[in-house]
Amino acid sequence: MSSPPPYAIVVLSAYDPAVRDGAARVAQKLFKRNQVTVHPIPLESPGLHQTLSRLAGGTLYLVGHGDDFQIGDQQPPNLALKLEEEGLPETVARIHVLTCMSGVTPPQLQEAPALRLRLNLVALYRKDTGIRVTGLTGKSVDFGGSFRAIPNHPVVNWLDRVRDADGDLEILGGLLDEGNELDAANAGSEAFQKLVEGNPDLQQQDEEEQQIYSAIQMFVPHLLDKNARPDFWMMLYMLVQQMGDAMEDEELLDGEKWDSILSSLDTLEPLILQGLALSRQASKVHFS
């Protein structure tokens, strides 16, 4: 009986608990699908060489943050050199790059990060051994789950800019106005009103702020349901309202206002992305 092909999971952003959890989910899937136990290993681990050198004919998963330029916090040429120096064999069969936008070609470059990784490995090995590298065409909702968010969607770009504001209340004020303008048809407000009208527990609450808070608690369990598709316009509406309430709260200091906005963003952004998501297969691009 032949042995199953080897697998390895390398964590590129090991400092981030969400990434570590995502790597653990990948390991769980491999065990459920193939009955193999794989322990995720950080890119900086001294045991990396031993792990990678065993991957002849196998599959490597790279899990971390990223964008259409970088894989984790690494430029693809540097990551390729690191993997090759740590013993990744030229006969590795597949590399799955589970980082945001790894399959997207930015306007300034000719290749997506996942393709750049492949091309640099081929250059290091000095021959094309047929390595198949897979990248993602969107933002990962949970680092290895079933959905990937649609790339370059105006709402996704707006969410990124809110985080980039880093507590600057003047910038956040402008973004608050933009958040309302994104939903020019008021689809989010209408969806929220229908939710309230159809839910007696929400109807009993007089203030919209309390209704929104209770609605968020209702929707949070959807984060565990990979088949759930929350109404992203409604989630955006709820986020904008919570941002506005925090900005207008005169009892909060500026830093506390940002902390409140960040808390709402951490809770609602995953639901917005899940509502915008592509299926896992539709979000992949293969380079070979």
Side-chain angles (χ1 to χ4, degrees):
M1 181 181 294
S2 61
S3 301
Y7 298 89
I9 303 168
V10 173
V11 186
L12 303 177
S13 311
Y15 60 85
D16 190 321
V19 176
R20 294 200 301 270
D21 290 346
R25 279 192 289 274
V26 174
Q28 290 168 1
K29 285 186 176 183
L30 288 175
F31 181 79
K32 183 177 181 180
R33 187 186 306 152
N34 302 314
Q35 292 354 184
V36 294
T37 300
V38 183
H39 299 289
I41 184 170
L43 184 67
E44 301 80 11
S45 172
L48 183 64
H49 188 281
Q50 184 179 19
T51 297
L52 294 183
S53 61
R54 297 174 177 174
L55 279 183
T59 300
L60 171 63
Y61 290 84
L62 299 173
V63 184
H65 291 296
D67 53 34
D68 51 0
F69 286 94
Q70 297 190 121
I71 298 173
D73 58 358
Q74 304 265 331
Q75 287 292 327
N78 297 334
L79 179 57
L81 182 60
K82 171 73 171 176
L83 295 174
E84 190 269 341
E85 288 180 339
E86 292 289 349
L88 182 69
E90 62 186 43
T91 53
V92 63
R94 297 179 182 84
I95 300 176
H96 294 293
V97 185
L98 299 182
T99 65
C100 293
M101 315 291 279
S102 56
V104 175
T105 302
Q108 301 91 329
L109 296 173
Q110 297 298 314
E111 295 95 15
L115 177 55
R116 292 171 65 203
L117 177 67
R118 184 186 188 280
L119 293 174
N120 278 274
L121 284 172
V122 168
L124 289 168
Y125 294 139
R126 299 187 178 180
K127 62 179 177 180
D128 191 340
T129 60
I131 300 172
R132 186 173 187 179
V133 180
T134 299
L136 302 182
T137 61
K139 290 177 176 283
S140 177
V141 174
D142 63 2
F143 303 99
S146 299
F147 296 107
R148 311 279 184 265
I150 297 174
N152 299 322
H153 191 284
V155 172
V156 176
N157 294 336
W158 181 83
L159 290 168
D160 289 341
R161 291 167 60 205
V162 171
R163 286 199 183 277
D164 290 342
D166 198 26
D168 188 315
L169 297 186
E170 184 175 348
I171 294 176
L172 287 168
L175 288 170
L176 192 61
D177 293 337
E178 286 186 36
N180 280 314
E181 292 171 3
L182 283 170
D183 185 14
N186 293 320
S189 175
E190 293 176 6
F192 180 72
Q193 292 306 314
K194 288 182 180 178
L195 176 70
V196 173
E197 292 168 4
N199 192 297
D201 292 336
L202 295 179
Q203 287 182 16
Q204 292 173 6
Q205 301 180 32
D206 297 329
E207 300 291 333
E208 185 184 44
E209 183 178 356
Q210 284 300 316
Q211 291 175 338
I212 289 176
Y213 177 82
S214 297
I216 291 172
Q217 306 314 305
M218 290 168 50
F219 278 101
V220 165
H222 282 296
L223 287 171
L224 302 177
D225 181 2
K226 297 298 183 295
N227 295 312
R229 290 298 185 92
D231 185 316
F232 74 90
W233 286 121
M234 179 167 66
M235 297 300 160
L236 176 66
Y237 172 78
M238 292 162 65
L239 175 59
V240 169
Q241 298 309 306
Q242 291 228 311
M243 286 176 59
D245 290 337
M247 296 279 284
E248 295 172 5
D249 193 334
E250 297 180 356
E251 296 182 4
L252 295 178
L253 300 174
D254 289 355
E256 293 172 330
K257 291 180 180 180
W258 171 239
D259 287 342
S260 177
I261 290 171
L262 192 60
S263 176
S264 299
L265 189 60
D266 288 342
T267 301
L268 287 168
E269 182 179 24
L271 289 165
I272 293 171
L273 294 179
Q274 198 159 308
L276 282 168
L278 297 167
S279 72
R280 183 176 60 180
Q281 292 303 321
S283 68
K284 289 182 178 179
V285 59
H286 304 288
F287 304 105
S288 58

